[in-house]
Amino acid sequence: MLGWSEDAGDLGRKVTDYLNLKLNGQEFAEVDPEDFFPMGGVAIKGNIARFPESKFYTCPEHKLAILRTDSPLAEWYKFLNSVLDVAERHCRVRELYVLGAMISFGAHTAPRQLIAVVNSTEMKEVLTQYDLNRDMDYQTQPGERPTLNSFLLWLARKRNIPGVSVWVPIPFYLAAMEDPQAQRKVLSFLSERLGLRIDFSDLDQEIGKQNEQLAVARSRFPQIDDYINRLESNLVLSQEENGELAKRIEEFLGEGD
Amino acid sequence: MGIRLHQEPQLETPILIASWPGIGNIGIIAVDTLRGILEAEEFGEIEPWEFFYPKRVLIRKGVLEYLEFPSSKFYFKRLGGKEIIFFIGEEQPTEGGRMYAEGKKAYRMADLVLDVAEKFKCHRVYTSGAAVALIHHTAKPRVWAVPNSRGLVAEIRRYGNTVLMSDIEGRGGHGNITGLNGLLLGVAKKRGFEAICLMGEIPVYLQGLPLSYPKASKSVLEVLSHSLGVEVDLDTLDELDQKVQQRIEEFYQQIPLEIRGQLDRLKHVAYTQPAEPGPITEEEEKKIVEDVEKFFKKRGEGG
């Protein structure tokens, strides 16, 4: 299972950390960053210097290997093949799960429907019993490029590794923060699919807490409430309104940290 | 990573014409137009995965159907006693967000292209690109020609509308050709191929625009077809040029009057016969370039 460290809503990092914590994941390998990231200095995030990381963890009792990684900025083919080499040769993986967060222009109160993109019809069949949208049609739009998830799934197919990219929508105004509801949705699917039997009560509390905070923000600031009401009515906000809502929510939730 | 040949045409001593996208896509439009006119047949490609990030994905009913990469294809054409191999690279293999290829990947790509040239015993390599020049967009662009050996200079001097670097005002025979259209020339020299890069002039104030410049492609193609002894109908390039010229005019009218006044003076620059009201001085040239750079910088800052 692969999660990207810098996903919207911090999805990849939070989900992989959560699984490692709950399943006692042990680090066993990493990808040397030299070829894949510019080594011209360090980035600073939240006052802390960061360095690109691509770490593998194993949870042997659950037959699960986890990779939490930054997105490579060069030599993508080599990077993804390195990941698949570890997956195939060291872990002998049977299936590949790749997480992805997609920005949604809906409200946080709307149900989160997971979307699955698979690299084989057999894998699609396997997923029929789960609550996933498995029928998405998509092609790259002008000016865009495919995601690393698609690249990885394509390479996995060349090695006959069945794979699925699991996408969860993140409301745009939570994209720069954490979205426990999105984490819960993905984790519930993984738990069910992989038979992990995880107790999610702590995460449910987090969801409740964030929902309460958002409710307070709505009651305290009529403008925020108006924007979210409109999103709940499936109306589209202007670009400026989107920006303002995201900024004010970020400021408000940030105060509670 | 390597070359995949779908067929191996029997060729005696072909020439290779190669191009990648660059400023104004001048070279690639010229080469690809010639390939189209001559109906050259595809016979191979360079495997793309290690060079490029994918450009398109198709997902149908939740299943990833295919992932498409920028292509790097070889074509061939027999034409009377002449044989031509074309190489068209859809993108330059860039690294780290740069616009042009450089470093290991670029060198590797150039080597692979020349591996095919060697396999089919090519005796000459042409590449093509853009030359940023102090000209007006209403003027006919010249072609700057750079050979990779002294022995080709005399031949180039016989080409029409073509100049060597030593003929360019203020250049003293020196310069750079950025990216693979230039690098191939150097790698060809290293591997013992004679090669010429033909660069069509593009006005300095258009180099940063996301527009092709078919007028210069036409100049390149005129020289190239003459050099090859091939007659080609360039109507398609004229049609394309007319459409682009309209957009250029629209852009030109947005340039502040003061700068446009300077640029208008470029209309009077003539290279072979100085025209009234007289050539632009070096100082005036410098001022025009500075003003244009300031304008683009301001435009960029304004989003």
Side-chain angles (χ1 to χ4, degrees), chain A residues 13 23 26 70 88 129 206 239 242-243 249:
Chain A
R13 189 178 66 80
L23 306 178
Q26 301 296 313
D70 285 271
E88 196 173 28
Q129 56 189 298
E206 263 191 66
Q239 206 174 339
N242 282 341
I249 291 289

Side-chain angles (χ1 to χ4, degrees), chain B residues 227-244:
Chain B
S227 165
L228 299 174
V230 176
E231 276 191 32
V232 286
D233 180 356
L234 301 178
D235 285 353
T236 48
L237 279 181
D238 286 333
E239 285 166 23
L240 189 58
D241 180 46
Q242 278 173 12
K243 285 180 193 160
V244 174

Side-chain angles (χ1 to χ4, degrees), chain A residues 48-67:
Chain A
I48 308 296
R50 288 193 79 255
F51 192 70
E53 275 186 358
S54 305
K55 291 191 172 176
F56 288 90
Y57 303 84
T58 178
C59 313
E61 285 177 28
H62 301 277
K63 294 184 177 177
L64 176 65
I66 296 170
L67 169 62

Side-chain angles (χ1 to χ4, degrees), chain B residues 272-290:
Chain B
T272 48
Q273 294 174 326
E276 291 300 331
I280 287 174
T281 66
E282 252 180 62
E283 266 186 25
E284 285 167 335
E285 272 190 25
K286 204 175 155 195
K287 170 105 175 60
I288 288 173
V289 172
E290 280 172 5

